[in-house]
Amino acid sequence: MAFVRGLKRPIEIFCKRMNTPVHSGLGYSAMACKGAYFADFRENKCPFGCNCANAFCSHCISARRYSTEVSPSEQMNLIKQLRERTSAPIKEVKSALVDSNWDIESAQKELRKRGIVLASKKASRTAAEGLLALAQNDRKAAVIELNCETDFVARNEIFQYLAVSLAKVALLVDGTRQPSGALHVEPELFEELKINFHHPKLSGERTVQNAITEVAAMMGENVKLRRGFAMSAPSYGILSTYLHTSPQPGVGRIAGLLSLEVEDQNASVDALQHVGSELAMHVVAAKPLFLTKDDVSTEAMESEREILKSQAESTGKPQMAVEKMVEGRLRKYFEEVVLMEQKFVVNDTLNVKTLLNNLSKEVGSPVKVGSFLRVEVGEGLQRLESSNTGEPLAQAA
């Protein structure tokens, strides 16, 4: 008892001099003046006056053992709140809270820092699932492909929100023109652009790349922006879009974009929009590769002709019959891959060329397809997987 009474006065002096470095090594100062002490810890300052930033200081490590008690029910409530804010795994949430002395704001920052590390570790993993997101205004439409590892993540509403947000950004970026008339928008063109997010779990301003990294950390999977495309509306006419397998407006697994051009600016827009919507759906269903027969490359034509000739010669028929068979099968080939020669999916008694001729008569002005585009999640990725190149699948474009 005498020993304890002897210690009482030195401890009181010690509490009054908390800002001076004292090397007691005993650690019971934490309980003596805990109000100021833990306020300093929350502000990331060492209460002992050293410049350790609370990381490895012997005073701080000792004091942490005597941190403010948090009841089990309060701990569960904090874990639940942080999970709702971040969607991070429970194990990571609890670890961040413990390391942050159960300060939820500090723990949230810690999770964001960890997310960058976790996402970088997952970046080499295969990401062949995902969604397309489509955004459109009066002058332009844009579609992007956002990849992930499983369809489970593709169905997540945060992932879908991110995809739609990226499609809106793609509307603002200029791309390189393709033979089809569409613009190819490289992801590198807008990964450093900043956008404001307004989602409970993804809010505030950040770059596109940082947002992708953060969502990857939330989902626990590799998330990658693979590619983007855009199409401008014609001066006179309409731009139509269609999304197939769409879990919510603006996202889907297959997208069709098509522009219809008309010479007379006073032509009926309603008729153009009706046919345009059906043709965008046709592009998704029929998978055309070329707009007209003239667009078929010489290489593609010669390759197909050689295959068809070999097939015809295997029948043992005379050369004249073989030539006729090849020409007949070439016509069939055109009907399969050329948009204007394809049977219209809504009414297979017409081909697309006849459909447009009828539409031209209806609106009183020539109508033609300006450009079209078909995009599907994961197309081209399986080919890379089988080639054993070792390249991450989601990097293929």
Side-chain angles (χ1 to χ4, degrees), residues 117-128:
V117 177
L118 292 173
S120 65
K121 290 180 180 178
K122 296 177 174 67
S124 62
R125 294 184 348 199
T126 298

Side-chain angles (χ1 to χ4, degrees), residues 107-359:
Q108 187 170 352
K109 286 183 181 179
E110 178 64 22
L111 280 177
R112 290 187 63 185
K113 292 176 184 176
R114 292 182 187 182
I116 296 173
V117 177
L118 292 173
S120 65
K121 290 180 180 178
K122 296 177 174 67
S124 62
R125 294 184 348 199
T126 298
E129 286 292 334
L131 283 174
L132 302 174
L134 179 70
Q136 187 172 2
N137 56 30
D138 294 338
R139 298 171 286 103
K140 195 176 184 182
V143 59
I144 62 97
E145 179 177 354
L146 188 65
N147 291 126
C148 56
E149 297 175 43
T150 64
D151 60 349
F152 177 79
V153 167
R155 295 194 298 269
N156 185 282
E157 51 109 8
I158 303 174
F159 183 88
Q160 293 177 7
Y161 173 80
L162 175 64
V164 172
S165 299
L166 297 183
K168 293 176 181 177
V169 174
L171 282 174
L172 309 175
V173 181
D174 294 327
T176 54
R177 187 166 294 278
Q178 293 189 311
S180 65
L183 299 172
H184 187 202
V185 182
E186 294 286 352
E188 293 79 9
L189 294 176
F190 57 98
E191 283 182 341
E192 296 305 316
L193 293 179
K194 290 186 177 181
I195 46 177
N196 271 310
F197 293 90
H198 304 284
H199 188 279
K201 297 177 182 177
L202 187 67
S203 60
E205 185 180 69
R206 48 178 56 80
T207 65
V208 168
Q209 186 55 57
N210 285 345
I212 293 171
T213 300
E214 197 166 330
V215 170
M218 291 181 192
M219 301 296 104
E221 289 192 6
N222 183 17
V223 175
K224 188 171 288 264
L225 176 60
R226 181 188 177 203
R227 55 184 177 167
F229 298 94
M231 186 177 291
S232 298
S235 300
Y236 304 125
I238 53 101
L239 177 60
S240 296
T241 61
Y242 173 75
L243 276 171
H244 187 64
T245 318
S246 179
Q248 67 160 317
V251 294
R253 288 191 59 84
I254 312 175
L257 287 73
L258 178 135
S259 66
L260 285 180
E261 300 176 358
V262 61
E263 291 185 5
D264 184 2
Q265 59 179 319
N266 297 317
S268 171
V269 175
D270 291 341
L272 291 173
Q273 286 178 337
H274 176 71
V275 174
S277 297
E278 291 184 337
L279 281 176
M281 182 173 63
H282 171 96
V283 167
V284 167
K287 305 180 182 179
L289 301 177
F290 308 98
L291 179 56
T292 67
K293 288 193 288 186
D294 293 337
D295 295 324
V296 181
S297 65
T298 304
E299 293 81 4
M301 181 77 78
E302 291 302 320
S303 174
E304 190 66 22
R305 186 183 292 275
E306 184 179 340
I307 293 170
L308 295 176
K309 185 176 181 181
S310 176
Q311 291 174 348
E313 287 176 342
S314 66
T315 63
K317 293 184 178 181
Q319 189 62 30
M320 186 177 294
V322 167
E323 292 297 330
K324 289 183 178 179
M325 290 174 66
V326 169
E327 293 304 317
R329 290 178 181 180
L330 269 178
R331 286 194 295 272
K332 181 68 174 175
Y333 170 72
F334 288 140
E335 290 178 2
E336 291 175 352
V337 301
V338 176
L339 177 61
M340 298 302 291
E341 307 298 323
Q342 287 179 331
K343 297 289 186 183
F344 185 38
V345 293
V346 178
N347 180 3
D348 61 8
T349 62
L350 305 172
N351 64 14
V352 174
K353 184 189 296 183
T354 305
L355 174 72
L356 292 178
N357 289 337
N358 294 343
L359 179 61

Side-chain angles (χ1 to χ4, degrees), residues 14 22-31 37-38 41 48 54-67 101:
F14 177 71
V22 180
H23 301 280
S24 67
L26 298 176
Y28 40 65
S29 60
M31 303 304 293
Y37 178 87
F38 288 110
F41 254 95
F48 296 93
N54 296 339
F56 301 106
C57 174
S58 61
H59 302 121
C60 300
I61 292 171
S62 177
R64 278 181 174 176
R65 299 193 189 104
Y66 297 88
S67 61
N101 255 347

